[in-house]
Amino acid sequence: MIYKHYLKKLLIFNIFFLIFNFNNVYSSNQIIIIAKVDNEIITNLDIEKEYRYLIALNPGLRSVKKDKLIKIAKQSIIKEKVKQFEILKYNETIVQNAYFEEVFKGFYEGININSEKDFKKYLSEYSLSLDYVKKKINIETLWNELIYAKFKNQIDIDEEILKKKLKKKLSENETQHSYLIYEVMFSSENKNDLKKKYEVIKNSINEIGFEKTATIYSESDSSKRNGKVGWVNENQLSDIIKKELNKINIGKYTNTIPVAGGSLILKIKDKKKIKNNLNFDEEFNKSLSFERNRQLNQFSTIYFSKIKNNVNIDEK
C-alpha cells in the first residue's frame, strides 16, 4: 500500500512538473528548440522575444493571457520565416525599402509615439532593439513589394464600371456614409472548417474584443494594426460589403462575408455622414486604390497559404 501511495504521489508530482515546465520553458534561460522551419530553428528564447514584440506594438494585448499569446508568437515567427524564405528567392527583382520609412513611421505613430528616438526608448522597456524591430518591419515591407511585383498584372478592375457606380452613388443622395472599419480575414478548407473557425473567432471577440482578436486570428496585413482598415466611404465598398454593413450598428460586427482567398468579418468602429459635394476624380482614385489594395491583400493570403505547404515545418 505504501508503495502504491508513493507511485500515486510520484505520478502527481511528474504531471505537475510537466505542466509547470511547459508554461515556463519559454521564459527559461535554457535554450530549447521549439520548432524548425526547413533548416531554421526556433527556440524558446525566440518565442519569448516575439511575445515582447507583439505586446510592444499592440499594447492592447497585455490583457490577453500569456500562454495564449505565446502560442500566437510561435505561429507569428513561423509565418515570418516562411515569408523570409520566399523573399530571398526574388530578392533581385524587388525594389528594396521603397516605402520602408513611411511604413516604419506608421508603426510607432500608431501607438502614439511621435519620434524614432522616443520609439527606441519605448522598445528598451521591452528589451527590444530598434534594429531588431526595423528588421521585422522590413520583412513585411518586402513581402508586400513581392506580392505587388508578382500580382500587379493580375489585378482586375473595370474602371468604367467603377466610374459608373461612383457617379450613381454620388448623385443618388446629398449625403453618404463613411465607416471606420476593422476586419478579421481568415481562410478555411471547407464549410465545416469555416464554421469551426468562425466559432473560435466569435468566442474570442466576446472574450477579449474585436481588435485583439484581429491581431491574433486575422490573416490580413491589417492584423498588425489590430485589424484597422480605416475610414472608408460607402462609394468605395462593393455592394455585398455595403449590404452587410447596413445590417449592423456602430460597435457591432458582420457575419462572415465570402471573399477571394477566405472569409471576412467586419466591425463598424464609428460612422459619420459626409456631403456628396466631393471631387469626383479624388473619390475615383480613392476607390481605385481601395479596390487594388483589397485584391492585393487577397493575393497575399492565397499565395502565403500556397508556399507554406511547400515548406517543411516541424513543431515540437
Side-chain angles (χ1 to χ4, degrees):
M1 289 293 294
I2 295 174
Y3 180 68
K4 287 183 179 179
H5 180 67
Y6 168 76
L7 285 179
K8 186 177 179 181
K9 287 184 69 176
L10 183 63
L11 179 61
I12 292 170
F13 172 79
N14 285 337
I15 290 172
F16 174 79
F17 179 80
L18 287 170
I19 293 172
F20 178 82
N21 277 278
F22 178 79
N23 288 328
N24 288 277
V25 67
Y26 294 99
S27 57
S28 170
N29 289 325
Q30 182 183 1
I31 300 175
I32 301 169
I33 296 175
I34 303 299
K36 286 182 70 176
V37 183
D38 278 350
N39 294 322
E40 292 274 340
I41 63 169
I42 297 171
T43 71
N44 55 318
L45 300 185
D46 295 325
I47 293 174
E48 173 66 24
K49 196 171 185 179
E50 184 74 6
Y51 162 78
R52 297 198 306 273
Y53 170 77
L54 289 176
I55 60 172
L57 269 64
N58 300 277
L61 291 178
R62 292 171 191 161
S63 60
V64 179
K65 291 180 180 178
K66 184 172 181 178
D67 59 344
K68 190 171 187 177
L69 278 184
I70 285 292
K71 293 177 182 177
I72 300 303
K74 178 182 174 182
Q75 294 306 315
S76 178
I77 297 179
I78 290 172
K79 188 173 184 179
E80 183 179 80
K81 293 287 185 187
V82 173
K83 286 183 176 181
Q84 199 170 11
F85 292 157
E86 193 68 11
I87 288 166
L88 291 173
K89 293 179 185 177
Y90 298 93
N91 205 30
E92 295 179 0
T93 65
I94 307 171
V95 180
Q96 295 190 41
N97 298 319
Y99 61 106
F100 171 76
E101 289 302 327
E102 180 183 345
V103 174
F104 177 65
K105 187 177 180 182
F107 265 82
Y108 62 74
E109 287 183 343
I111 51 175
N112 300 316
I113 295 176
N114 298 320
S115 68
E116 185 173 313
K117 182 180 178 181
D118 289 341
F119 188 44
K120 183 178 181 179
K121 184 179 178 181
Y122 169 79
L123 291 174
S124 67
E125 297 173 10
Y126 295 87
S127 301
L128 297 171
S129 71
L130 191 65
D131 287 342
Y132 172 78
V133 173
K134 279 188 171 184
K135 181 181 177 182
K136 292 178 74 64
I137 294 174
N138 192 44
I139 291 170
E140 288 300 318
T141 305
L142 291 175
W143 171 260
N144 290 336
E145 291 181 358
L146 170 61
I147 295 301
Y148 180 75
K150 287 188 72 67
F151 296 104
K152 62 183 178 182
N153 294 328
Q154 295 183 40
I155 296 173
D156 184 18
I157 304 174
D158 191 321
E159 294 189 13
E160 290 306 313
I161 291 178
L162 196 62
K163 285 179 180 179
K164 286 179 182 179
K165 285 184 176 180
L166 180 58
K167 285 178 181 178
K168 183 181 178 182
K169 288 177 180 177
L170 291 178
S171 63
E172 281 178 346
N173 303 299
E174 290 185 3
T175 61
Q176 62 169 305
H177 286 109
S178 184
Y179 301 94
L180 179 55
I181 295 175
Y182 283 68
E183 68 176 359
V184 174
M185 183 178 178
F186 65 100
S187 57
S188 54
E189 296 179 1
N190 50 52
K191 287 185 179 180
N192 287 334
D193 188 37
L194 169 63
K195 187 177 180 181
K196 287 178 182 178
K197 285 188 175 180
Y198 178 63
E199 284 302 313
V200 169
I201 291 170
K202 188 168 70 170
N203 290 336
S204 178
I205 292 171
N206 294 333
E207 181 183 347
I208 63 175
F210 195 94
E211 288 90 333
K212 293 174 188 174
T213 298
T215 302
I216 294 170
Y217 291 105
S218 182
E219 297 171 21
S220 169
D221 289 340
S222 63
S223 64
K224 302 290 185 182
R225 304 183 299 277
N226 298 322
K228 185 177 181 179
V229 176
W231 283 99
V232 182
N233 294 347
E234 62 181 298
N235 60 49
Q236 297 171 248
L237 300 169
S238 67
D239 290 338
I240 185 172
I241 288 178
K242 184 180 175 182
K243 182 180 178 181
E244 291 300 316
L245 290 179
N246 284 335
K247 294 178 181 178
I248 61 173
N249 297 318
I250 293 173
K252 302 298 182 180
Y253 59 90
T254 66
N255 290 319
T256 54
I257 303 170
V259 294
S263 300
L264 201 60
I265 304 171
L266 299 176
K267 176 186 176 181
I268 300 177
K269 182 81 169 180
D270 201 357
K271 181 179 176 182
K272 62 185 178 183
K273 285 186 177 181
I274 55 175
K275 290 185 177 181
N276 263 350
N277 57 349
L278 303 170
N279 181 283
F280 178 81
D281 290 335
E282 287 182 7
E283 289 304 302
F284 173 70
N285 287 331
K286 285 181 183 178
S287 298
L288 198 62
S289 177
F290 181 82
E291 179 60 23
R292 185 184 295 114
N293 290 336
R294 185 187 70 81
Q295 291 190 26
L296 286 170
N297 198 32
Q298 290 175 358
F299 283 129
S300 175
T301 302
I302 294 168
Y303 188 65
F304 178 80
S305 297
K306 179 182 176 182
I307 63 172
K308 185 180 179 182
N309 290 332
N310 296 324
V311 176
N312 183 28
I313 299 172
D314 179 20
E315 299 183 50
K316 306 297 182 183

